[in-house]
Amino acid sequence: MSRSPTTNEEDIEARLKNAEPASNRSRMQKDRAFRWLCIAIATVSVLVLVALLTSIVVQGVPVISWTLLSGTPEPEPSEAGMFPALMGTIWICSLCALITLPIGVATAVLLEEFKPRTKVAAWSYSLIQLNISNLAGVPSVVYGILGLTAFVSMFSLFGNATQPGAAVWEWGATYYDQFSNLGSDPFLMMSDEVDERYFLVPVENRTNPPTVPTEGMMAYENSVAGLVPVEVHVADAMGDLPTDPEVLATSIDSAAVPGRISEKAWYYFQLPLGRGVLAGALTLMLVILPVIIISTQEALRAVPSSLRDGALGIGATPWQVVWNVTLPSAIPGIMTGSILAMSRAIGETAPILIIAGIVYIRTSPQHLMDSYTVMPLQIYNWTSRPQDEFHSLAAGGIVILLGILLSFNAVAVLIRHRMQKPLS
């Protein structure tokens, strides 16, 4: 049986009468102790951070050079660079921002500015909000596994999931069968030297059987001016070879089996997405999307309701209120949260390591489906090498990565100060 409110009030009053008041000196001592404890913890944290940054800067700044910024990964530390990783990071983060920001802001506007009117809609909104809050705390490696299934292999809807990247449908690719000239074979020409040349025969479909060499077949040779048409000759490698040097230079073996290569345009697209730039950007989108939604919601809540009421009072529709009043007022908070989320995306390693799967790439991405690497992966690769020179290169890469992160944070602070206005 519950006790009556009157009895509770009597108990509380009795306890207050019997309680001994704490002395003012004791309370002040506890206050000072707590303050010094906070100062000590903050000081230790800052000192550890300063020591780590100082160690990295001292080790990394001397190795920062133009070769490190513009070079490609090489076996020799003195020739190694991280340009492909730098360009991969720019590709991934730019694409991730273009995809994530509209989705995140639109979701936050829907949840905050358009409240549900029915019980079913309210239940759906609550479920979405709960999932967003929980997804913000999921480890990033889990997103990497999710991205591998959802984007790389696309749930095996467009091919075998055990062979991710094997495109079932693609657009923007041209396939060739490549032959090398017979005259460059050192076993046939012995002491004579003939320049090696490659001839490309277009193939309508990548699944077509290999091209059979025929006399007078037209092919293309890749030169500085582009693809130049060339008439090739066919000769039996076991028989008499052509005596004319020009004919010999454009002759191929009658039994040659070509190698199939592809040339992909900048707009190349395929399904499933494979381990390309787009799959990596979509995976990073999963990582930072909850953060952007939550930060945008907080920015929208900070806008005074009097602004909305005033706009509605003069006859504006809810969408006009959002577009002309709420969003412009919340832009500083939205931009700050979004840029800080992008700073997290730049430093993510685990999901990219699962999606990309390759840490040694010498070329920068050329299209959305191209292979790539990013700066955290390149740094990880260098730190795993036994040579101390690579460890110094990794420290230099960390300094460059920190510079990019601090630049993003500086932009966030600048935007906040420039666009922040008093609201009432």
Side-chain angles (χ1 to χ4, degrees), residues 136-317:
V138 173
S140 58
V141 67
V142 176
Y143 289 111
I145 298 173
L146 179 61
L148 186 66
T149 304
F151 303 127
V152 175
S153 61
M154 302 192 77
F155 303 100
S156 302
L157 295 176
F158 300 95
N160 189 353
T162 59
Q163 297 177 348
V168 173
W169 181 86
E170 57 186 357
W171 181 52
T174 305
Y175 286 89
Y176 298 94
D177 277 346
Q178 178 177 269
F179 296 90
S180 61
N181 61 328
L182 186 62
S184 63
D185 191 335
F187 295 101
L188 297 177
M189 301 307 298
M190 302 304 291
S191 59
D192 296 336
E193 293 184 359
V194 177
D195 293 336
E196 189 171 19
R197 300 171 65 177
Y198 294 97
F199 306 106
L200 305 177
V201 179
V203 180
E204 292 184 359
N205 196 310
R206 65 172 182 170
T207 58
N208 286 358
T211 303
V212 178
T214 56
E215 179 64 25
M217 181 175 63
M218 292 302 297
Y220 293 97
E221 185 174 9
N222 200 0
S223 65
V224 179
L227 296 179
V228 179
V230 178
E231 181 181 356
V232 297
H233 303 277
V234 178
D236 185 358
M238 304 306 294
D240 297 332
L241 298 180
T243 56
D244 186 349
E246 179 61 27
V247 175
L248 184 61
T250 57
S251 297
I252 59 177
D253 190 351
S254 59
V257 178
R260 184 149 297 175
I261 62 173
S262 64
E263 181 178 339
K264 297 173 180 174
W266 63 269
Y267 53 85
Y268 175 72
F269 186 80
Q270 70 174 31
L271 291 176
L273 300 179
R275 298 178 181 272
V277 175
L278 184 57
L282 291 173
T283 303
L284 283 184
M285 178 198 72
L286 298 179
V287 176
I288 65 172
L289 186 59
V291 180
I292 291 181
I293 293 175
I294 293 174
S295 62
T296 303
Q297 285 184 282
E298 294 297 331
L300 292 173
R301 288 171 190 160
V303 178
S305 58
S306 58
L307 295 178
R308 299 182 180 86
D309 297 337
L312 291 172
I314 61 176
T317 63

